[in-house]
Amino acid sequence: MFNTISRMLHTGLLTEPLPAPDQTAPTLATRQKELLKILGRALCIRHVDAGSCNGCELEIQALNNPYYNLEGAGMKFVASPRHADLLLVTGPVSVNMEEALKRTYDAMPDPKLVVAVGDCGACGGFFGTTYASRGGVARIIPVNLTIMGCPPSPAAILDGILRSVRPTETEDLKGTVSQ
Amino acid sequence: MATDFMEFQAARLPANIPSRRLRVDRVQWLQTAKALRESKARFLTFWGADDRDRDGGFRIYAAYLLPDTVMVVEHFIEDSPAPSYPSIAGFYPAALRMQRSVYDLLGISTDETDSRGWLRHGGWPETLFPLRRDVDGSRQYPIASGPYPFVPVEGDGVHEIAVGPVHAGTIEPGHFRFSVVGEKVLRLEERLGYTHKGVAKLFENTSQQNGHRLAARVSGDSAVAFSWAYCAALESITETVCPARAILLRALALEHERLANHLGDLGALGNDGGFAFGLTQFSRLKEDLLRANTVAFGARYLMDYVVPGGVAFDLPADARCRLLDLYDALEPSVNQMRSIYDEHAGLQDRFREAGRLEQSTAEKLGAIGLAGRASGIACDLRVDHPWTPYDSLVPKLIVRSGGDVAARVQVRFDEILESLRLCRALLSGPPIETIHTSVPVAAPDLLGIGLIEGWRGPVMIALETGPNGGIRRCHAHDPSWQNWPSIEYAILGNIVPDFPLINKSFNLSYSGQDG
Ligand code: SF4
């Protein structure tokens, strides 16, 4: 126990400010307020791996580490799509996961957001469109926003999630994202 | 002796560790498997290829690990309406799922009775075998999924719990079918293949110079191991000698990959054991390492770092100090966390005895790599078959005999400390010089293999060159193939709520086995 407490004290508070893509980017407090205004509570995120190489998962998991501290920013991962506002999808959609992805999407209550993560989620990446892969997520379910990268960094993912929640940003993207 | 032919007929095979290739007929295919099993050779991988365009048939290959060499046994199957070969699963049960996959992709079958698809879930027609050369891999087909009969367990109070393919967390998809009485697991049957992305077919449209990038994405958490294995195969075929510095940097990257995954797993295991503090601490340490990766290797995850002929990015001048500082900070933290874990009664209660894989079971199933070493299987390619630079580093073999979650935790702790030692030694290598040499285009129809001990176990690439700098066939093997069946045994008699912890203690790749 002594060890645990001493390690806690030694580690201190590591959480960093949220990513600031531009100079006018809001602070953590305003982001939290914004989320609260739009949703009235924390943003609930459900992740689905639709066939990724597992690289993108690693960076999504990193969002929970103390540096990014996702929950501190008013967002949390939930275990069921029925509890989720936002679906985070990784990977190209493999034909073997197509059905499961559609069902997960259908199980979410409206209104819902979908964010496709990684080059694969955006357009199929290295795996493209083949007998085994349907390509990008937007070919199977409607996508509000894509985050490029292979894999994208946790900061980029966090930034994408925050942008997807602001109605103006996703509307701008709708036309360009769906293929 | 019926297997004498093995001794003198085996030819040298280009590879980063001594390897031989043996061509056998149908009868010898079984005889070799039997003889190798009796001599305690380990089964590495199994794959097939469509060679009807070249000489009118199919080829199957099985790779075995012997104490002094890797033996790739090759068998030619004449084309016919129903091409087939004898199953080796009687000697090496791990071959079973690989044989089912070879049927799904190539349409060559065995005498096994289990004819359920493994990779094909109804996403393409039953009569279409995508890895055949006359099949256009870019065509799409409507899904027509049929039933997948799981083996039923009957008896008083037995019921089934179906889990997946989508799981309640940020993890890969797969299906687990538990047969339970109360909470106790009587049987677990896995169904995988959900993330099958047709990697083998994609390789056929990839150039030799680009294959490492696809290989790195077979299983993203083992990107360095896969891309190195690919490059080792290509460089062996072309007899390219990489600059010494590039080899050291590859090993440094491989050890960083091991460290990152072990740190991540130790955190997740603490969390699954009800000790969230462990996750916070280890995920922080892992993040520190990934940030140092950006400085040293130019990226957090090294998807495109190892390239044919060397590496893509030299260690910047200031990176050496930064890395040594990182190791100096990591080591005491890991040691402190180890004593916290060891002394935490609640955590130890969850770890000990949970998910035990006995050594005898592990031997029979052919468990390998980290999970094998936690069950007393003393096998680590870096130690037993050291390729450069591991021959001069002399890594320590880490083995535990417990076979439970606690043993897999301890192996990770020990391996982190050993990896840190290796990293320090690697940094004292030759100073800045060339990190890359050009690799010539390989002639067609040459086979070579690359075998690298990744953090999970031996990762293997078997590369056959095509004309004009192309790839004829490339088989990528993740050690998860051998180890997935072990979980079905490790869970027996445990309770369902312990499954996430036990599963995590193996932390196998879905994408790596699905391909
Ligand atoms: S984008 Fe890259 S890291 Fe993400 S799933 Fe695709 S290949 Fe893997």
Side-chain angles (χ1 to χ4, degrees):
Chain A
M1 201 60 208
F2 170 76
N3 254 331
T4 311
I5 292 168
S6 115
R7 181 133 193 103
M8 278 178 186
L9 292 176
H10 246 90
T11 310
L13 206 60
L14 299 170
T15 308
E16 297 171 336
L18 287 179
D22 52 63
Q23 293 303 313
T24 56
T27 61
L28 174 60
T30 35
R31 283 293 198 201
Q32 273 177 345
K33 243 189 239 149
E34 201 177 7
L35 281 176
L36 202 65
K37 204 172 111 205
I38 299 168
L39 298 160
R41 55 172 169 75
L43 174 70
C44 295
I45 304 170
R46 182 68 176 87
H47 163 254
V48 171
D49 174 348
S52 94
C53 81
N54 76 29
C56 283
E57 277 62 40
L58 298 172
E59 291 296 43
I60 293 176
Q61 284 164 6
L63 290 175
N64 279 319
N65 79 35
Y67 289 104
Y68 303 104
N69 188 16
L70 191 78
E71 300 211 353
M75 290 168 264
K76 63 171 181 180
F77 284 101
V78 292
S80 166
R82 296 188 201 282
H83 303 157
D85 309 304
L86 186 149
L87 192 64
L88 206 55
V89 190
T90 51
V93 183
S94 71
V95 300
N96 293 350
M97 276 304 286
E98 181 180 352
E99 179 78 35
L101 176 63
K102 280 189 195 152
R103 285 206 212 169
T104 308
Y105 177 77
D106 290 342
M108 288 173 72
D110 281 319
K112 47 192 164 192
L113 290 168
V114 177
V115 173
V117 178
D119 291 354
C120 289
C123 64
F126 270 79
F127 306 103
T129 312
T130 66
Y131 78 92
S133 159
R134 296 280 189 242
V137 179
R139 295 175 58 106
I140 304 301
I141 55 172
V143 169
N144 300 92
L145 192 129
T146 56
I147 303 167
M148 303 293 282
C150 182
S153 66
I157 300 172
L158 197 49
D159 177 56
I161 293 172
L162 288 170
R163 280 195 292 125
S164 75
V165 182
R166 301 162 108 194
T168 46
E169 303 220 18
T170 49
E171 264 167 23
D172 288 350
L173 272 156
K174 246 178 207 150
T176 55
V177 168
S178 41
Q179 297 170 10
Chain B
M1 201 178 108
T3 51
D4 282 351
F5 62 91
M6 279 169 60
E7 289 307 315
F8 53 87
Q9 281 181 8
R12 202 191 74 85
L13 182 66
N16 60 320
I17 60 183
S19 301
R20 291 190 294 166
R21 175 182 191 172
L22 179 70
R23 296 192 166 93
V24 299
D25 63 24
R26 195 181 165 97
V27 176
Q28 291 166 336
W29 173 256
L30 268 189
Q31 280 175 349
T32 42
K34 184 165 183 277
L36 288 163
R37 177 89 233 191
E38 282 163 4
S39 65
K40 295 205 165 15
R42 300 193 193 284
F43 178 61
L44 280 173
T45 185
F46 172 78
W47 75 99
D50 175 7
D51 287 334
R52 289 173 305 158
D53 59 332
R54 198 163 61 190
D55 43 19
F58 298 90
R59 273 188 179 75
I60 46 169
Y61 301 83
Y64 304 91
L65 186 66
L66 283 80
D68 56 345
T69 183
V70 173
M71 181 78 83
V72 175
V73 183
E74 169 185 337
H75 170 47
F76 177 75
I77 305 164
E78 215 51 76
D79 189 20
S80 71
S84 73
Y85 58 96
S87 163
I88 53 169
F91 307 111
Y92 290 101
L96 206 54
R97 290 171 178 181
M98 302 181 209
Q99 292 178 165
R100 285 166 68 186
S101 304
V102 165
Y103 178 78
D104 288 346
L105 299 180
L106 282 165
I108 44 179
S109 55
T110 64
D111 42 1
E112 291 288 343
T113 47
D114 189 350
S115 59
R116 295 172 299 170
W118 185 248
L119 298 180
R120 196 187 82 84
H121 292 192
W124 61 91
E126 205 174 343
T127 50
L128 182 112
F129 302 106
L131 208 49
R132 289 191 173 192
R133 292 190 194 279
D134 45 9
V135 171
D136 171 11
S138 63
R139 269 195 65 183
Q140 299 252 306
Y141 306 91
I143 293 173
S145 45
Y148 185 87
F150 287 92
V151 177
V153 176
E154 282 161 13
D156 233 12
V158 179
H159 67 281
E160 279 190 355
I161 305 175
V163 179
V166 177
H167 300 156
T170 306
I171 46 169
E172 301 177 75
H175 184 94
F176 300 106
R177 187 64 63 97
F178 298 94
S179 298
V180 298
V181 167
E183 278 195 311
K184 207 164 157 185
V185 179
L186 293 182
R187 184 187 157 87
L188 162 65
E189 190 176 342
E190 298 156 355
R191 186 188 187 193
L192 304 174
Y194 288 91
T195 69
H196 177 63
K197 296 179 277 291
V199 169
K201 191 78 179 177
L202 286 168
F203 268 120
E204 294 177 7
N205 291 320
T206 306
S207 72
Q208 291 167 12
Q209 289 297 325
N210 248 332
H212 62 288
R213 303 192 68 198
L214 183 56
R217 287 157 178 87
V218 169
S219 181
D221 56 16
S222 304
V224 176
F226 271 103
S227 49
W228 191 354
Y230 176 88
C231 293
L234 183 63
E235 289 155 7
S236 304
I237 293 173
T238 54
E239 295 178 4
T240 307
V241 181
C242 275
R245 179 161 176 85
I247 299 283
L248 294 185
L249 289 175
R250 282 179 180 181
L252 190 66
L254 186 71
E255 294 310 318
H256 271 228
E257 188 166 87
R258 195 180 319 279
L259 287 169
N261 281 292
H262 284 5
L263 290 170
D265 285 352
L266 286 172
L269 283 162
N271 199 45
D272 283 344
F275 190 45
F277 170 77
L279 179 63
T280 311
Q281 290 292 337
F282 277 110
S283 63
R284 176 264 169 117
L285 297 176
K286 179 176 177 180
E287 181 72 19
D288 290 342
L289 180 84
L290 295 177
R291 290 181 178 195
N293 275 0
T294 313
V295 177
F297 307 111
R300 290 163 60 87
Y301 284 99
L302 311 182
M303 311 300 275
D304 301 309
Y305 181 70
V306 181
V307 298
V311 292
F313 192 84
D314 195 8
L315 212 56
D318 56 344
R320 196 172 164 272
C321 290
R322 166 92 192 253
L323 290 183
L324 290 173
D325 286 349
L326 172 85
Y327 306 150
D328 288 348
L330 258 179
E331 192 163 337
S333 296
V334 169
N335 280 326
Q336 191 183 16
M337 286 305 295
R338 182 179 209 163
S339 56
I340 291 174
Y341 270 31
D342 285 351
E343 287 160 16
H344 194 288
L347 206 52
Q348 290 306 319
D349 186 46
R350 294 288 308 275
F351 286 176
R352 289 198 194 145
E353 300 296 323
R356 183 185 291 280
L357 180 69
E358 298 288 351
Q359 182 169 351
S360 55
T361 317
E363 286 279 5
K364 270 189 208 124
L365 294 173
I368 206 159
L370 181 152
R373 289 194 289 276
S375 289
I377 310 284
C379 174
D380 182 333
L381 295 177
R382 295 175 301 162
V383 179
D384 318 326
H385 300 260
W387 67 101
T388 359
Y390 289 99
D391 43 359
S392 51
L393 288 171
V394 200
K396 198 167 91 196
L397 180 68
I398 285 149
V399 200
R400 296 262 167 172
S401 56
D404 53 1
V405 173
R408 290 184 282 277
V409 166
Q410 292 303 340
V411 169
R412 284 180 170 93
F413 272 118
D414 288 338
E415 290 194 354
I416 286 179
L417 298 173
E418 179 62 7
S419 275
L420 286 172
R421 182 185 77 77
L422 298 179
C423 287
R424 288 193 177 105
L426 285 162
L427 279 180
S428 61
I432 313 278
E433 47 166 283
T434 165
I435 54 154
H436 186 263
T437 181
S438 65
V439 177
V441 170
D445 300 327
L446 297 174
L447 181 70
I449 63 175
L451 204 48
I452 301 291
E453 184 81 26
W455 70 270
R456 205 179 256 124
V459 158
M460 181 168 154
I461 293 275
L463 175 69
E464 193 181 0
T465 54
N468 310 319
I471 294 172
R472 180 171 167 85
R473 174 83 175 88
C474 182
H475 171 70
H477 177 90
D478 188 278
S480 303
W481 274 106
Q482 281 100 316
N483 289 350
W484 272 115
S486 300
I487 297 185
E488 291 183 344
Y489 286 83
I491 185 71
L492 295 180
N494 288 258
I495 57 173
V496 180
D498 270 346
F499 181 70
L501 176 72
I502 294 167
N503 193 23
K504 190 75 210 177
S505 72
F506 283 86
N507 194 11
L508 304 179
S509 173
Y510 299 70
S511 180
Q513 103 90 69
D514 296 349

